[in-house]
Amino acid sequence: MADVAEGTHGSTGGKGLPGSEDDFVPSKLGTKQHWDETYQTELEIFRDIGDVGDIWFGEQSMSRVIRWMEKAKIPQNASILDIGTGNGVFLLELAKEGYTNITGIDYSAASVALAKDILQAEDLNNISVKEVDFLSCSTELKDFDVCVDKGTFDAISLNPEHTNEVRTRYVQALSDVLKEGGYFVITSCNWTKEQLLQRFSSGFELVQQLPTPSIQFGGKTGNNECCAIQGIPFPMCTVSWDRLRPPSALAKISL
């Protein structure tokens, strides 16, 4: 899923600003219909004029994650899953940096078609892009070293129906696909760090919050959240623009 996020959270997505999960207002951004329509339009535009479309959170967000992966010494053959790959541009950037075991998933068929077209235009035919609903993928995806989310959990959290259920299912799906000791890196504009840590409190520990540009809205200043998280031997995971991992491994990361 990749598009410009709407202001749908009572805390305006600002770091440290007050707010709770009850502040979220249901939005079309939480519906599959919206993303099917969005990516069908972007697919037609790409095939017409070669425009890849919007990049969620911009190119700097992709560079920030890749820089962290380099500093954390993530091997270039590590298995990497892009959750809600959208137009697949992040997969393209990973491949340019030498990563070779990359998978992108999205529940929108038009998104998958767009990502495949963009990768094929760059002669990158060895990257796996699959039409998969992450909330129902327990038997299809396993043992990833790194999972990356840039806005997908934000969108899922805006689902007009079964809101708490889909958030809980996301956490469980993440625990199913991420290898024990693996990393989860997430960018969010709707959740504060504190909310994310609470939502993903079991089985993960924050490694580091990545610095992000300040934003102003309604006279208040905040940041997108960026975190990396690593799993420990418990069946849950966490999300945020930060980094999490077990205490024994904290000394291994330097940023």
Side-chain angles (χ1 to χ4, degrees), residues 11-119:
S11 70
T12 70
K15 177 184 174 184
L17 297 178
S20 71
E21 292 192 20
D22 293 336
D23 292 335
F24 283 87
V25 178
S27 166
K28 65 181 181 181
L29 293 180
T31 66
K32 185 175 183 296
Q33 179 182 355
H34 169 76
W35 296 107
D36 284 338
E37 293 172 353
T38 296
Y39 285 116
Q40 184 59 42
T41 299
E42 293 195 2
L43 176 62
E44 293 169 3
I45 291 173
F46 178 76
R47 289 177 174 176
D48 185 29
I49 62 174
D51 185 343
V52 301
D54 293 323
I55 299 173
W56 189 274
F57 298 114
E59 293 184 5
Q60 287 187 346
S61 67
M62 296 190 297
S63 299
R64 193 176 295 116
V65 173
I66 291 173
R67 286 200 307 271
W68 167 75
M69 291 173 62
E70 293 171 346
K71 291 177 180 179
K73 296 181 169 39
I74 302 297
Q76 291 194 324
N77 65 348
S79 55
I80 302 170
L81 177 65
D82 186 20
I83 302 169
T85 196
N87 57 15
V89 171
F90 183 58
L91 304 175
L92 175 61
E93 293 304 310
L94 286 170
K96 288 181 178 179
E97 294 298 323
Y99 293 95
T100 58
N101 190 3
I102 310 167
T103 299
I105 61 168
D106 206 292
Y107 67 179
S108 169
S111 158
V112 171
L114 174 61
K116 287 182 176 180
D117 279 8
I118 290 172
L119 293 170

